[in-house]
Amino acid sequence: MAIRKFSAGRNWIEKFTLENVGKSAGIFDIEKLNWLNAHYIKEADPARLTELLTPLIQQKGLQCQDKDYLKQAVITLQPRAKTLVEMADAAEFYLIDDEKLEYEPKAAKKFLKQNVKQVMADLIERLEDMDVFSEEGLEDLFKDLIEAHDIKLAKIAQPVRVALTGRTASPGLFEIMSILGKEHVLARLRKAQKYIVDRYAV
């Protein structure tokens, strides 16, 4: 056995020399590794990612029995997630109970302000009357809304994003609204509306 080990060692010595070994120290580039990991996440099958993500979500104390719902969420998160842990964090707003959603303090301070109260109230009323809750329908609804109030989309889009996700960065607004569904969207908008009223109460 020892002879065979020695023989294998000689073969390696014959094929490699120190002349081709770089003198500089090896570098572990975490940024490059994350970039590569992000690439594979983008290219991965959403169904496979859904299975891999489930244990990480459970570790956060969250549950999702509807695999199709989670898969839809995963599809929106794939383009921006570098790791599965990062994706699990980003998916939290999709899974948390409406009343437990918390706002990032800076996001709430900047966007959940009194000057959006009227527009948000109108948005809620329009959403309540909406029959087909689709991305296309939501986009048309927002176009009508901003024209009626003579404002730019960002004026209401960012407050709505914060109301729905608690954050200023998320997948596309109409995407997340259609996935969350009418009931949850309205519940979170009403919660944000109350937050604004309470914040500026005398």
Side-chain angles (χ1 to χ4, degrees):
M1 191 70 173
I3 294 175
R4 293 175 65 182
K5 284 185 177 179
F6 177 76
S7 177
R10 286 192 59 184
N11 288 338
W12 282 108
I13 292 171
E14 290 170 1
K15 293 181 182 296
F16 295 95
T17 66
L18 290 177
E19 295 174 5
N20 295 320
V21 176
K23 295 181 179 180
S24 59
I27 299 174
F28 181 73
D29 192 338
I30 189 65
E31 289 187 12
K32 194 168 185 178
L33 180 62
N34 283 335
W35 177 88
L36 187 61
N37 203 59
H39 170 74
Y40 284 114
I41 286 177
K42 288 178 186 177
E43 298 297 319
D45 177 13
R48 172 63 174 156
L49 287 177
T50 300
E51 294 299 324
L52 294 173
L53 197 65
T54 298
L56 297 177
I57 288 171
Q58 292 172 344
Q59 288 175 18
K60 297 172 72 67
L62 300 170
Q63 297 290 333
C64 183
Q65 303 299 328
D66 188 343
K67 293 295 184 182
D68 186 59
Y69 175 83
L70 184 56
K71 180 181 173 182
Q72 291 180 59
V74 163
I75 291 172
T76 69
L77 299 170
Q78 273 184 268
R80 60 178 66 215
K82 294 179 182 177
T83 67
L84 287 175
V85 171
E86 189 176 291
M87 183 180 283
D89 291 337
E92 187 170 349
F93 78 87
Y94 278 119
L95 306 170
I96 198 167
D97 293 338
D98 299 328
E99 64 273 12
K100 292 182 180 179
L101 179 72
E102 296 182 356
Y103 310 128
E104 292 179 346
K106 289 184 179 179
K109 184 177 180 180
K110 184 175 181 179
F111 293 108
L112 297 184
K113 300 169 71 174
Q114 195 166 12
N115 62 352
V116 301
K117 186 170 64 174
Q118 184 179 352
V119 185
M120 190 169 289
D122 188 9
L123 173 61
I124 291 171
E125 187 175 337
R126 289 169 185 257
L127 290 172
E128 287 173 338
D129 295 334
M130 192 173 183
D131 294 325
V132 181
F133 213 74
S134 65
E135 287 186 46
E136 296 78 8
L138 288 165
E139 188 172 357
D140 290 339
L141 184 149
F142 270 77
K143 285 179 181 178
D144 291 340
L145 181 73
I146 62 177
E147 286 180 10
H149 290 268
D150 192 24
I151 58 173
K152 293 184 178 180
L153 179 61
K155 177 77 174 182
I156 186 61
Q158 279 300 82
V160 170
R161 191 185 306 279
V162 174
L164 299 180
T165 70
R167 310 167 184 175
T168 55
S170 76
L173 183 59
F174 305 134
E175 280 183 302
I176 64 176
M177 290 180 76
S178 64
I179 292 173
L180 284 170
K182 184 175 179 178
E183 180 183 348
H184 293 293
V185 167
L186 285 171
R188 295 185 185 194
L189 289 178
R190 292 186 186 114
K191 176 182 176 179
Q193 189 180 39
K194 184 178 184 302
Y195 173 91
I196 294 170
V197 171
D198 292 345
R199 177 181 173 187
Y200 291 98
V202 177

